[in-house]
Amino acid sequence: MTQHLAAPAAPASGTHTDWWRGAVIYQVYPRSFADGNGDGMGDLEGIRTRLPHLRDLGVDAVWLSPFYSSPQADAGYDVADYRAIDPMFGSLLDADALVRDAHDLGLRIIVDLVPNHSSDQHDWFQRALREGPGSPLRERYHFRPGKGADGSQPPNDWESIFGGPAWTRTPDGEWYLHLFAPEQPDFNWEHPAVHDEFRSILRFWLDMGVDGFRVDVAHGLVKAEGLPDIGTRDQLKLLGNDAMPFFDQDGVHAIYRSWRKVLSEYAGERILVAEAWTPTVERAAAYVRPDEMHQAFNFQYLGTHWDAAELREVIDVSLAAMRPVGAPATWVLSNHDVTRHATRFANPPGLGTQLREAGDRELGLRRARAATLLMLALPGSAYVYQGEELGLPDVTDLPDEVRQDPSFVRASGQDGFRDGCRVPIPWTVDGSSYGFGAGGSWLPQPEGWGELSVEAQTGDPASTLELYRRALAIRRTQPGLGAGDSLEWLEAPDGVLAFRREGFVCTANTTGEAVRIPAPGRVLLANAEVESAETAGGKVQLPADTTVWWAV
């Protein structure tokens, strides 16, 4: 029986502050953040003990990837019980304590919500299997008879994101839809019971005091009527990505309008954040209209190369798309599904967001630090993935036998190398698992990982950690940083971005060579040493791959 716990106080008053418009939100991947009980797996108790690090870092909120009861077929994104904590992570009491401790430290908590699909161990799905064809529970998922005389062919030609058919046949002959792994059957959002259940789940966690939800696969809940075939890849290319019958259907927006009404019942400005993979930024803006979600991840920005022209284009498009709906732009460089940007920027353009190559480590870190300062200077909200404040690279040489990404073992679909960005982060220079926990770590950490630890970098003015701390402290106090929807581009040499906000200028040299520019003002912060100009307007040397913040 689930226990309904009293909600702790929010970290701020109930006054209207729109805190989320300029927030810096830190993503915690629970199994890789900190291990509190020494079993080699990160957990809620471990997160609690490390919350002071996040307060000192200067972030506003913490987003927790899934910790629900789950068979872990897809690292917790296959949920068996949305109102229970998986024992590997702790208990509901641990979750309640974490929310309270975070609020006491001035941090808000955002939890992951997975509404597109459940685990195949979810009670609804298990009952649907037991009761057989015609069961009312089957209507809450997508069960269909197969094609062909004997029903041995899938109901349509859809493919799973993880590879292979998006349909699995049950022993009684029917097929069920799963856009991801077979252990993740898709809910049928045409059924009212699914709507009722998720509004109830929202209230359960809001009553505990969470400050919002990151909505997984927000673009996938509603499927095209009749579940039509996609056709050949050539046909799909002609129609465009927005013709995909299982993604970004207009019907999803009614769902989020109903959720927004639920959140409006609670004080403290609770928020909804969309993970919506859409063909354009303009399509993503539809998810953050005033009566729907508050934010949507900017995947177009995440996939942009370290190139001034590309960056300027996606920045302009992002800000322009969000202005008509009054939503903040969001900016992100890394997360639990892509190669860390310290490795991505170390490799030539065109290799995508998943890599096995380590690349030029020094170059990648320099560009990553510069990209971080550029991101944090842009108008809107920013996301930081755990460990990027340490400049962590991807671990590209993990042996195949230790990898646990479910798509790694599949013949097609995603490439399966997400484990590289999920290796547990280092806290100390020495010791068991470099301070992650007393019992080792579920993925092996590289030798020398401790040199990148929080302990090693704290107090070192040249470290990436101290760069993040200074940047976030300045962002809190500088009027021209954080929330907003506009900037003024300034003239700059090729390969250099320069823009002005209130009392502030940012210049970013994305080239591999130093460039001389007029100094706009006094240096506030830079990721590399910058010579001082005697007067504003005096020429200064902007080093290669360097971003500078100036007070003007």
Side-chain angles (χ1 to χ4, degrees), residues 302-420:
L302 185 151
T304 304
H305 300 124
W306 180 238
D307 175 87
E310 284 190 44
L311 287 163
R312 177 164 176 168
E313 180 180 5
V314 75
I315 290 167
D316 282 341
V317 169
S318 299
L319 292 172
M322 295 300 148
R323 284 192 199 105
V325 295
T330 64
W331 316 100
V332 61
L333 292 167
S334 290
N335 64 33
H336 66 292
D337 281 334
V338 301
T339 299
R340 290 182 178 276
H341 59 285
T343 295
R344 205 165 65 243
F345 291 156
N347 285 271
L351 294 183
T353 57
Q354 286 290 356
L355 306 172
R356 296 199 78 176
E357 299 84 1
D360 183 335
R361 163 74 176 135
E362 183 179 345
L363 174 64
L365 179 59
R366 186 168 70 247
R367 288 176 171 176
R369 287 160 57 94
T372 293
L373 292 188
L374 173 62
M375 176 185 76
L376 292 175
L378 294 171
S381 178
Y383 281 78
V384 173
Y385 177 51
Q386 66 177 44
E388 72 173 71
E389 78 274 23
L390 305 177
L392 295 186
D394 249 47
V395 181
T396 57
D397 57 355
L398 287 170
D400 288 354
E401 61 268 19
V402 306
R403 292 186 178 274
Q404 299 192 30
D405 185 344
S407 59
F408 178 74
V409 299
R410 301 180 188 277
S412 58
Q414 293 184 345
D415 57 28
F417 297 112
R418 296 178 296 177
D419 289 316

Side-chain angles (χ1 to χ4, degrees), residues 369 459-464 466-467 470:
R369 287 160 57 94
D460 178 359
S463 72
T464 302
E466 294 298 349
L467 178 71
R470 293 195 302 274

Side-chain angles (χ1 to χ4, degrees), residues 36-50:
N37 63 8
D39 65 355
M41 185 68 66
D43 49 39
L44 298 183
E45 178 58 28
I47 297 170
R48 285 182 64 199
T49 65
R50 297 298 187 178

Side-chain angles (χ1 to χ4, degrees), residues 267-287:
E269 292 185 281
R270 320 296 177 96
I271 70 168
L272 293 167
V273 181
E275 184 212 26
W277 292 88
T278 58
T280 64
V281 178
E282 290 80 7
R283 289 291 297 182
Y287 290 78

Side-chain angles (χ1 to χ4, degrees), residues 464-523:
T464 302
L465 175 58
E466 294 298 349
L467 178 71
Y468 270 73
R469 287 173 173 169
R470 293 195 302 274
L472 293 179
I474 293 171
R475 183 181 164 102
R476 283 180 177 269
T477 58
Q478 188 74 18
L481 290 174
D485 66 357
S486 63
L487 53 78
E488 175 192 356
W489 291 108
L490 306 176
E491 288 189 15
D494 289 344
V496 176
L497 292 172
F499 61 84
R500 183 194 308 273
R501 301 184 67 192
E502 180 188 351
F504 173 88
V505 166
C506 176
T507 57
N509 179 7
T510 68
T511 74
E513 298 179 355
V515 178
R516 290 195 71 80
I517 63 168
R522 174 176 55 87
V523 174

Side-chain angles (χ1 to χ4, degrees), residues 29-178:
Y29 191 67
R31 59 173 56 205
S32 299
F33 190 67
D35 175 15
N37 63 8
D39 65 355
M41 185 68 66
D43 49 39
L44 298 183
E45 178 58 28
I47 297 170
R48 285 182 64 199
T49 65
R50 297 298 187 178
L51 286 175
H53 165 71
L54 302 182
R55 174 202 58 199
D56 296 343
L57 185 62
V59 301
D60 301 289
V62 181
W63 154 36
L64 301 171
S65 292
F67 47 65
Y68 307 107
S69 175
S70 167
Q72 302 297 320
D74 184 23
Y77 283 93
D78 50 318
V79 181
D81 187 342
Y82 291 85
R83 298 178 183 83
I85 307 297
D86 194 279
M88 70 187 295
F89 296 126
S91 67
L92 278 176
L93 292 175
D94 293 322
D96 180 64
L98 191 157
V99 173
R100 291 176 183 273
D101 286 358
H103 286 175
D104 287 344
L105 293 171
L107 298 168
R108 299 175 189 266
I109 293 292
I110 297 169
V111 299
D112 232 311
L113 189 66
V114 189
N116 179 71
H117 48 262
S118 73
S119 164
D120 62 353
Q121 300 304 304
H122 190 284
D123 180 60
W124 283 5
F125 192 76
Q126 285 294 301
R127 288 171 55 194
L129 291 179
R130 289 195 302 268
E131 294 173 10
S135 165
L137 270 297
R138 293 206 173 192
E139 297 174 6
R140 301 180 187 186
Y141 295 91
H142 294 278
F143 280 87
R144 296 288 188 278
K147 288 184 176 179
D150 58 355
S152 62
Q153 299 299 313
N156 67 22
D157 63 359
W158 294 4
E159 293 183 3
S160 163
I161 304 302
F162 285 170
W167 296 89
T168 290
R169 198 177 193 186
T170 64
D172 56 46
E174 284 198 330
W175 298 73
Y176 68 88
L177 175 68
H178 52 86

